[in-house]
Amino acid sequence: MAELPQKAGVVVIGGGVIGCSIAYHLTKAGFEDVVLLERQQLTSGTTWHAAGLVGQLRTSINMTKLAKYTSELYRGLEDETGQATGYRQSGSISIAATGERFEELKRSASMAKVFDLEVNVVSVEEIAERYPLIYTDDLFGGIHIPSDGYANAVDITQALAKGARNRGAKVLQDTKVEEIVRDGKRVIGVRTAKGDIEADHVVIAGGMWSRDLAASIGVNVPLHACEHYYVLFESVEGLHPELPVLRDYDACTYYKYDAGKLLVGAFEPSAKPWGMDGIPEDFCFDEIAGDFDHFEPVLHDAMARLPALQDAGIQKFFCGPESFTPDVRYHIGKVPEVDNCWVSAGLNSIGLQSAGGIGKVMTEWMRAGHPPADLWEVDVRRNMPFQGNRKYLQERVSESLGLLYATHWPFRQYETARGVRKSPIHDRLVAAGACHGEAFGWERPNWYAPEGVEASYEYSYGRQNWFEHSAAEHRAVRENVALFDQSSFAKFRLEGPAALAVINNVSANDMDVRPGRLVYTQWLNERGGIEADLTVTRLSDDAFLVITAAETETRDFHWLQAHIPAGANCVLTNVTSSMGVISIMGPNSRDLLQSLTPADMSHKAFPFATSQEIELGYAIVRASRITFVGELGWELYVPSEFMQGVYDEIVAAGSAFGLAHAGYHALNSLRMEKGYRHWSHDITDEDSPLEAGLGFTVKFDKPDGFIGRDALLKQQEEGLQRRLLQFKLSDPEPLLYHNEPIWRDDEIVGHITSGAYGHTLGGCIGLGYVHTTAGAGDADVLSGTYEIEVACERFAAEASLAPMYDPGNQKIRR
Ligand SMILES: Cc1cc2nc3c(=O)[nH]c(=O)nc-3n(C[C@H](O)[C@H](O)[C@H](O)COP(=O)(O)OP(=O)(O)OC[C@H]3O[C@@H](n4cnc5c(N)ncnc54)[C@H](O)[C@@H]3O)c2cc1C
């Protein structure tokens, strides 16, 4: 066995499939001095008992790309390393036992076209032909993915480790990392019983141990183990090795041929968290006793689907632990809390099929210092500190596991660990009929149920039960006045003599404005990609208030903090919890607010994009004239303890104006009509403001420049190769969510990044980038016939570069 080195370029902690894939890819990319440390033996954590499915179709485009790469890698791994992997391209079939599930499968088949993954919609007859063992009378159809397969997880891991060793990596087993060593904010190495290793980078790939290991250095990696089950049946009549993998999502089960036996695994709706008091120190290739009664209902359904199981023997009832995360997405990337530390953990039972892609993107990220593509949905920076809370995790992961196979309903809300973060006026909003959704722990009103209507969701891929109620809220904003609770906004203060220089360097727009001005800006990376999309209010000469989305609280705070030069005289503080936000929006918002405050709310005294402290009720609140709905309106920043009083005053005065309450579904519909971009959907760190049509926010001529300026200038000179367009479907019936392919003249040129029904425009609205020839003019981009594909059917769409609603901004600036 290799000696423990004193120094390393990269130390990878964990010898499961994830750690080994990272070591494999690092060495492949030419990283030197790669050391992998495993506390026991390779694969002895979760990896050894993976069922072996290597599927590719995920619920988003980027995740599918990563899984697709994994399959491609595994196909050639045995030839490359000489280590058998058990990889077999069996193909897979997913079946739908409900019409809605069939719609979901067809929508994913459409999405797969965007990146050339062959996914064929198949009839019930074809399913019966390809998988004769199952009962098909209740099916609606399914999809067949010819390039899916399965592999032996232990052999794949050993092959990756061998590939890494062949290129110089040191793989050390029986070497537990006792401590990750820090020097101030920098991670500088690891401590083991056999000695210390100094390292430039440390990667935590310790599976279910990762949360506690990370927490020991103040890093938040929210995950928790759950019991995960499968059963091996022997003597199954009709079983043969040519069968594809079968997924019966509606019965939470999958079926895989396994060396003459049939493996039936499950993602039951209510899982059992495991390891509540920590993972046993001596855990090594261990199994959990398991609870047969818990698994029994799944088996019952499986026997109905595959009747031959009734006469087959159970060779093994297996239960092992796997880590799950609060949003069923894994955690990768550079951690924000300390320097030189990375994580790849919380694989939610898709670790084998994700490992190749993770190893590849982690390596590219480490080499370049930034993610190689938009990986936000799995980026560790999306996590909020509270999500490390064990009670929260234990409750939430019991739901996470089942969500892998549950219908991915649009707007589906979590049912566990609710009521975690509440606005001070939460209970009043419930009384007003709010149906809350959960976002990043926050309870947020998504829509309001009128009297006599239950404030709860009835899910579907079509118009859901809230559609008309939300439409009424939308109209109230367009035609009169409505109140939104947007307390979940993240809020930071940057203060000190150096604050202006810092914020101006980070922002593409000009922050050197007079106090009281509010500026909409993007923060860019060196490549010109959009790292953040937010507003900054200059409070005084040396104080700024940053308002950003709840989703990016951790990410944006750390981005700004990381760009405060050492010794710069300014302080950044997260003040999210100190203020709630009530937004009053609509053409009558001025009249309503004017009735409540002695401040002059006229256009002259209070122009667009300005902010003032005003008296309202007994409180002093910060009123900012800005909008995300495309109407006249103000966001009111109210100290938390004054929120209830201010709300009561507004509602009391509002009755004379017909004030409505409006929720996030209406907000989304309104912003889509106005073409307002949403970070993480329409704009990401891969998209530049020029491509996104946000060039008006970029101030190239600022005296000291800004991060990303050179990249934007280059892009401008070379001409844009993609542009963000707004689409409206001509047929008012179909609904867009996101990821639908965009066709122009019979060619796929992009996909929808976000979609919502536009109640004023009278049809579904989508935003999406289309590829163009470099520097193509507006007329070129808009030429041709556009169509959007929804569930394998194409619908005519009108395309526009300017917002279809109020392109001249007359509604806002009056
Ligand atoms: C029943 C079951 C079926 C599954 N089926 C599939 C499937 O079909 N397809 C699929 O894609 N996925 C499947 N999975 C999931 C898959 O097995 C996991 O996602 C994957 O193995 C996780 O790999 P990992 O490397 O993150 O974790 P692990 O395999 O647990 O590796 C982490 C390693 O880190 C080591 N370690 C921890 N702390 C330290 C330390 N301080 N020092 C040194 N070493 C340390 C541990 O000993 C461990 O070996 C299944 C899981 C289960 C439980």
Side-chain angles (χ1 to χ4, degrees), residues 86 88 114 124 268 271 523 535 551 562 586 618 647 751 764 783:
R88 186 163 170 272
V114 176
V124 177
E268 69 278 15
W523 292 348
T535 64
E551 179 180 3
Y618 295 116
Y647 170 84
H751 65 271
C764 217
S783 67

Side-chain angles (χ1 to χ4, degrees), residues 89 548 634 808:
Q89 190 175 315
T548 190
W634 279 263

Side-chain angles (χ1 to χ4, degrees), residues 14 18 38-39 46-47 50-53 177 322 347 349-353:
I18 300 299
E38 164 54 47
R39 54 187 278 282
T46 294
T47 296
L53 271 56
V177 171
E322 159 70 331
L347 268 299
S349 204
I350 54 164
L352 178 63
Q353 70 178 39

